[in-house]
Amino acid sequence: MISKTDKIWMDGKFVKWDDANVHILTHTLHYGLGVFEGIRCYKTDKGPAIFRLKEHVQRLYDSSHICQIEIPYRPEEIEQAIIDVVKVNKLDEGYIRPFVYIGYGMMGLYPKGNPISVAIAAWPWGKYLGEEGLTKGISIKVSSYIRSHVNSNMTRAKVSGYYVNSQLAKKEAISMGYEEALLLDTEGYVSEGSAENIFVVRNGLIKTTPLTSILEGITRDTIMKMAKDENIEIVEARFTRDELYIAEEAFFTGTASEITPIREVDNRKIGRGCPGEITKKLQSLYFDTVKGKLSKYGHWLTYV
C-alpha cells in the first residue's frame, strides 16, 4: 500500500491527499493516453535531494510532445512544483509521480478541446524489488508477452496505456514464482523488463539494449556515464536471450528499481548466481551519488 502524505499538487494548487479526485469520465482513465514520470528523492547530509530532476521533467515534456499533448505549464513551473511537493509533505526521501492527463469533456477517441491537467504526488517508497533483491539479486522470467513494435507504441514516450503490456508480463512472471518479467522485442531480441532497462556483463564488457524498443531510461543513462568514467567498456547492442543465459552478470536499472542484480533467468543461474563485481561497483557508485557522497556527480542533485 502507498503510504499517504499530506498534499498533492493539482493544476497549481495543493489539495489534501484524500481530496485529489477526478471525474469518472476523465478521458485518460478510459483510453490510456496520459504521460508520467517516476522520480526519486534521497536523504543526504544536506537534506532531501531530487535525482536528475531536469532530465525527468524534460522527458515528461518529450513524452507529451510525442503524444501531441500540450502541458499548460512551463518546465520551470513543473520543476518548482515537484520541489514544493517534497517540501510540503516534509519528505526526507521518497518517490515522486508527475502525471499529465486529458480531462473530462469530449468522449470518443479524439478528445477535441478536453482540458489538460497535471498532478504531482510524492510519498515514502522503499525498494521496488525488495531490499533482498538489491543485495542478492532477483529471479526473472522471459515473458510470453513481447514489447510493442516501435511504430505501434512510440517507445520514447512514457505513456500510461503502454504499461498494460508490462502489467500482463509481470503478473505472468509472479504467478509462475519469479520476481520480475523480461520482455523481448518483435524480432526476438532482449528488450527490457516490465519497468526496467537491462544490462549484461560478459568478458568484462557491458552490453545494453540500444534505444529501439525500449524507454530512454534516465538511470540507464546514469550507469552508462558512470561505467565510461570508470573505464569499463560499455556498448549498446542487441543480444538474444541465450546470450543473457551465459552472461557473467546481469542487472536491471530504473528509478524505482534503482540497480537490481539478476541472479537467475528462466531457471538458469547467471554467473555464480549472485551479484557480480561490476554490478556491485556500479551499484555502489549509484547509491553514493544519489545520497550526495560524490561531488563528481553533484550536478545531478537538486537539493530541497
Side-chain angles (χ1 to χ4, degrees):
M1 291 290 289
I2 291 177
S3 298
K4 284 185 184 181
T5 51
D6 189 34
K7 298 285 180 67
I8 292 175
W9 188 95
M10 296 187 76
D11 290 326
K13 298 178 181 178
F14 281 102
V15 300
K16 291 182 179 179
W17 180 282
D18 289 331
D19 294 335
N21 301 312
V22 297
H23 196 280
I24 192 62
L25 295 181
T26 295
H27 197 273
T28 296
L29 179 62
H30 291 258
Y31 297 107
L33 185 59
V35 299
F36 70 97
E37 276 298 314
I39 309 171
R40 274 196 188 265
C41 174
Y42 289 90
K43 185 177 181 178
T44 76
D45 291 340
K46 298 179 182 178
I50 301 168
F51 186 60
R52 302 197 70 171
L53 173 61
K54 287 187 179 297
E55 291 89 341
H56 278 289
V57 170
Q58 182 59 57
R59 191 171 66 177
L60 183 72
Y61 277 78
D62 288 345
S63 296
S64 297
H65 179 69
I66 288 168
C67 296
Q68 296 183 298
I69 298 171
E70 188 171 343
I71 298 176
Y73 302 94
R74 291 178 291 107
E76 297 79 10
E77 293 177 289
I78 297 299
E79 287 177 20
Q80 187 58 54
I82 289 168
I83 293 168
D84 291 344
V85 166
V86 175
K87 281 183 181 177
V88 164
N89 289 298
K90 299 177 182 177
L91 286 172
D92 287 327
E93 57 184 9
Y95 186 81
I96 308 160
R97 171 55 58 84
F99 178 42
V100 180
Y101 59 99
I102 303 170
Y104 163 63
M106 186 78 69
M107 286 298 279
L109 291 177
Y110 184 61
K112 184 179 180 181
N114 288 35
I116 305 300
S117 290
V118 183
I120 305 169
W123 62 89
W125 201 12
K127 304 307 178 186
Y128 179 65
L129 294 170
E131 290 283 355
E132 190 170 292
L134 282 180
T135 56
K136 295 183 179 179
I138 61 170
S139 65
I140 69 172
K141 179 78 176 76
V142 174
S143 181
S144 68
Y145 297 94
I146 61 171
R147 271 291 181 248
S148 299
H149 190 277
V150 293
N151 285 324
S152 173
N153 289 334
M154 291 173 282
T155 55
R156 292 296 188 281
K158 193 172 176 67
V159 175
S160 304
Y162 293 179
Y163 285 80
V164 171
N165 180 230
S166 292
Q167 289 180 72
L168 292 171
K170 182 149 189 161
K171 284 183 176 184
E172 177 188 60
I174 290 175
S175 72
M176 297 174 73
Y178 298 87
E179 293 161 279
E180 184 55 283
L182 177 70
L183 293 92
L184 306 180
D185 66 20
T186 53
E187 295 182 63
Y189 291 91
V190 170
S191 179
E192 59 186 347
S194 68
E196 309 91 0
N197 296 128
I198 188 168
F199 291 74
V200 296
V201 180
R202 197 166 172 228
N203 300 321
L205 171 70
I206 303 178
K207 188 180 288 188
T208 190
T209 308
L211 294 173
T212 51
S213 62
I214 67 171
L215 181 69
E216 193 170 3
I218 291 169
T219 310
R220 173 186 181 274
D221 177 71
T222 300
I223 290 302
M224 292 182 72
K225 285 182 167 64
M226 287 179 168
K228 289 174 182 176
D229 287 347
E230 294 297 312
N231 294 315
I232 302 170
E233 190 176 359
I234 184 166
V235 297
E236 296 175 273
R238 285 173 135 187
F239 57 95
T240 56
R241 62 196 289 183
D242 54 357
E243 184 172 354
L244 172 58
Y245 293 158
I246 58 175
E248 295 149 13
E249 304 178 36
F251 58 92
F252 277 141
T253 64
T255 295
S257 58
E258 298 164 311
I259 315 301
T260 299
I262 298 166
R263 70 170 190 273
E264 182 181 280
V265 182
D266 292 344
N267 297 318
R268 294 165 175 86
K269 187 166 64 174
I270 300 300
R272 294 176 297 161
C274 60
E277 292 307 311
I278 290 176
T279 302
K280 289 192 290 186
K281 181 175 186 176
L282 292 171
Q283 188 187 59
S284 178
L285 280 170
Y286 180 79
F287 282 116
D288 282 349
T289 295
V290 298
K291 293 178 184 297
K293 296 179 180 179
L294 292 179
S295 58
K296 181 178 184 178
Y297 300 116
H299 60 285
W300 281 338
L301 297 177
T302 300
Y303 289 95
V304 176

